[in-house]
């Protein structure tokens, strides 16, 4: 199974390539955006790991060109940019998951495996969970075919849930991905926002796991 690794940091790329090869993957490495874009167009790959700060053609443009050409393999983004609007730009371009540097290489491997399992080789800008539909490109959410009106923060939370369905997400992890500034884990702001989303959904799609976090799922 082939993985495209688009990373210009030679040391990090070498470590990730070794990790992926030890896990049984065949790795195609590109150190600049133009080559990454070309390999993603012509090679039969199961997934791609893409650094947004690639020289030449940046990572966002690479992903956008793949999606415009109909390339549907899942994409895991790597970046040093930690603010939410940078992450949202990655998702809007067609990425499926996001890791902020620095990170544990083993986490990258786990997330990559999960993406490959979930996608079965088909990534889509439209995500669905039961009656919920998220159009990533249009930043629009529908419930039972009707537009769901959300505040920007509510959209950020629900969008993150939709990108990680059936996964228990801790309050700290969710808060870090939702807020540009530091997240205060003792604040009840997140609980208030999730309460508002639940009322708008009108169904038990967001489940609370006491002491662990929250999970979006159409299953009880």
């Amino acid at each position: 199974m082939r993985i495209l690794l688009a990373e210009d940091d030679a040391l990090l790329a070498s470590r990730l390539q070794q990790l992926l090869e030890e896990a049984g993957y065949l790795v195609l490495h590109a150190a600049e955006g133009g080559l990454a874009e070309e390999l993603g167009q012509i090679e039969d790959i199961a997934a791609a790991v893409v650094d947004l700060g690639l020289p030449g053609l940046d990572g966002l443009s690479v992903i956008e060109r793949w999606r415009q050409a109909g390339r549907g393999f899942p994409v895991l983004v790597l970046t040093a940019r930690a603010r939410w609007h940078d992450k949202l730009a990655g998702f809007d371009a067609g990425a499926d998951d996001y890791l902020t540097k620095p990170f544990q290489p083993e986490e990258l491997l786990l997330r990559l495996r999960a993406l490959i399992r979930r996608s079965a080789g088909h990534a889509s800008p439209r995500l669905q969970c039961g009656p919920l539909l998220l159009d990533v490109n249009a930043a629009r959410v529908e419930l039972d075919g009707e537009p769901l009106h959300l505040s920007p923060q509510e959209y950020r939370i629900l969008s993150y849930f939709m990108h990680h369905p059936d996964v228990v997400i801790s309050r700290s992890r969710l808060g870090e991905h939702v807020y540009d500034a530091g997240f205060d884990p003792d604040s009840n702001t997140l609980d208030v926002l999730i309460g508002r989303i639940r009322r708008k959904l009108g169904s038990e799609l967001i489940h609370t796991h006491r002491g662990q976090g929250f999970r979006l799922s159409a299953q009880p």
Side-chain angles (χ1 to χ4, degrees):
M1 188 176 290
R2 291 185 173 187
I3 302 296
L4 173 57
L5 174 62
E7 171 60 62
D8 64 315
D9 184 318
L11 180 58
L12 177 58
S14 176
R15 290 175 178 173
L16 292 180
Q17 183 165 352
Q18 181 180 357
L19 177 75
L20 293 169
E21 289 177 345
E22 289 176 352
Y25 297 108
L26 175 63
V27 179
L28 304 177
H29 176 232
E32 59 91 21
L35 178 59
E37 194 264 341
E38 179 183 354
L39 290 175
Q41 299 285 14
I42 64 176
E43 295 289 345
D44 181 16
I45 59 176
V49 179
V50 179
D51 178 13
L52 292 188
L54 292 172
L57 191 65
D58 67 90
L60 285 179
S61 298
V62 169
I63 298 169
E64 287 174 345
R65 292 189 182 185
W66 287 339
R67 297 311 189 216
Q68 289 168 0
R71 299 294 281 161
F73 49 79
V75 176
L76 174 62
V77 162
L78 303 180
T79 183
R81 307 169 190 173
R83 293 183 298 179
W84 169 253
H85 72 267
D86 292 319
K87 298 177 183 181
L88 184 59
F91 286 133
D92 285 346
D96 300 277
D97 202 356
Y98 206 105
L99 266 180
T100 303
K101 298 177 181 179
F103 57 87
Q104 293 295 323
E106 292 76 13
E107 182 180 2
L108 178 145
L109 185 59
L110 290 174
R111 292 202 187 191
L112 191 61
R113 284 172 172 166
L115 284 177
I116 294 173
R117 286 197 304 268
R118 288 203 302 266
S119 70
H122 298 283
S124 171
R126 294 169 67 86
L127 306 177
Q128 187 161 6
C129 180
L132 272 178
L133 179 69
L134 170 64
D135 186 325
V136 176
N137 291 336
R140 182 178 65 246
V141 179
E142 295 180 1
L143 178 65
D144 289 321
E146 297 295 328
L148 189 65
H149 301 289
L150 301 167
S151 71
Q153 286 184 323
E154 291 167 354
Y155 174 81
R156 292 177 180 182
I157 292 172
L158 190 54
S159 174
Y160 192 73
F161 275 130
M162 291 288 284
H163 280 89
H164 301 82
D166 297 304
V167 175
V168 177
I169 302 173
S170 68
R171 295 181 77 261
S172 59
R173 178 179 169 189
L174 186 59
E176 289 169 358
H177 281 78
V178 169
Y179 296 98
D180 290 339
F183 171 66
D184 180 5
D186 296 324
S187 170
N188 70 341
T189 304
L190 194 59
D191 302 278
V192 171
L193 289 170
I194 290 178
R196 291 177 182 171
I197 296 171
R198 277 181 166 144
R199 288 192 291 273
K200 291 182 178 182
L201 295 181
S203 60
E204 291 298 322
L205 289 174
I206 299 179
H207 307 271
T208 299
H209 293 258
R210 295 192 181 279
Q212 299 180 57
F214 307 95
R215 173 175 59 95
L216 177 72
S217 178
Q219 302 298 321

